[in-house]
């Protein structure tokens, strides 16, 4: 019997002044641009996951405004032998955003494993080629329709 493995991820889309927040990261030896978020942990709900991931990445509390999108097509994980299911929520920080923002991609203090920085991309300028992974690229197309 073939067991199907699922990789469930939750992401926060923070929109401000007609721009969306993205994270540039250096992980597993590669540069990637994606939306903030990450993997669901056992015993955790999707909403709890995105709130936890925002706390881990930004060091501050966020709240969920609404569900935005759940993957509705097959996508294999880029990192293991699993099927990826991604859930995106519109989110907002409880207070003013505290993280340092950059103006250009990959403006790390030091490019080493786990390096991360954040920046806004104007929805007018946003293009699917700005993002690394296929589901994020699909979400860009949906955001462009707002």
């Amino acid at each position: 019997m073939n067991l199907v493995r699922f990789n469930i991820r939750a992401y926060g889309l923070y929109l401000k002044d007609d721009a969306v927040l993205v994270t540039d990261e250096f992980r597993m030896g590669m540069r990637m641009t994606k939306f903030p978020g990450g993997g669901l942990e056992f015993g955790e709900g999707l909403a709890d996951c995105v709130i936890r991931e925002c706390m881990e990445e930004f060091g501050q509390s966020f709240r969920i405004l609404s569900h935005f999108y759940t993957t509705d097509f097959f996508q294999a994980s880029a990192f293991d032998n699993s099927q990826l299911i991604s859930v995106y929520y519109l989110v907002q920080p409880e207070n003013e955003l505290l993280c340092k923002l950059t103006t250009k991609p990959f403006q790390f203090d030091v490019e080493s494993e786990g390096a991360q920085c954040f920046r806004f991309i104007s929805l007018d300028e946003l293009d699917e080629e700005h993002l690394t992974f296929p589901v994020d690229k699909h979400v860009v197309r949906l955001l462009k329709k707002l």
Side-chain angles (χ1 to χ4, degrees):
M1 180 166 90
N2 237 351
L3 291 179
V4 178
R5 290 187 50 229
F6 293 97
N7 182 348
I8 302 172
R9 322 278 302 166
Y11 296 96
L13 302 172
Y14 176 42
L15 301 170
K16 181 179 178 184
D17 301 327
D18 294 320
V20 65
L21 188 66
V22 298
T23 174
D24 295 309
E25 301 179 15
F26 187 81
R27 300 205 191 277
M28 295 172 276
M30 71 180 270
R31 287 178 163 194
M32 57 185 80
T33 300
K34 57 190 255 331
F35 295 111
L40 183 72
E41 294 181 356
F42 184 78
E44 182 176 57
L46 287 164
D48 295 331
C49 177
V50 77
I51 295 298
R52 175 186 52 76
E53 286 287 341
C54 286
M55 178 59 83
E56 288 177 5
E57 294 192 26
F58 299 106
Q60 69 182 96
S61 297
F62 274 68
R63 70 177 178 270
I64 295 174
L65 301 176
S66 64
H67 173 264
F68 184 76
Y69 174 72
T70 299
T71 310
D72 57 2
F73 57 91
F74 172 77
Q75 180 62 53
S77 170
F79 300 104
D80 62 22
N81 188 25
S82 65
Q83 180 173 339
L84 182 66
I85 299 172
S86 299
V87 182
Y88 295 79
Y89 291 95
L90 295 174
V91 299
Q92 183 174 10
E94 294 285 347
N95 300 299
E96 191 65 31
L97 190 62
L98 300 175
C99 68
K100 177 183 168 188
L101 297 173
T102 62
T103 56
K104 296 178 185 169
F106 309 106
Q107 281 186 295
F108 306 125
D109 292 333
V110 176
E111 187 169 293
S112 61
E113 182 62 27
Q116 182 175 29
C117 57
F118 302 95
R119 63 191 164 94
F120 280 99
I121 301 176
S122 160
L123 292 176
D124 288 338
E125 296 174 11
L126 185 64
D127 185 90
E128 63 186 76
E129 295 308 312
H130 288 122
L131 284 289
T132 303
F133 301 111
V135 182
D136 286 345
K137 292 175 183 286
H138 181 73
V139 168
V140 166
R141 292 190 293 274
L142 297 174
L143 286 169
K144 297 293 281 184
K145 293 179 182 179
L146 291 179

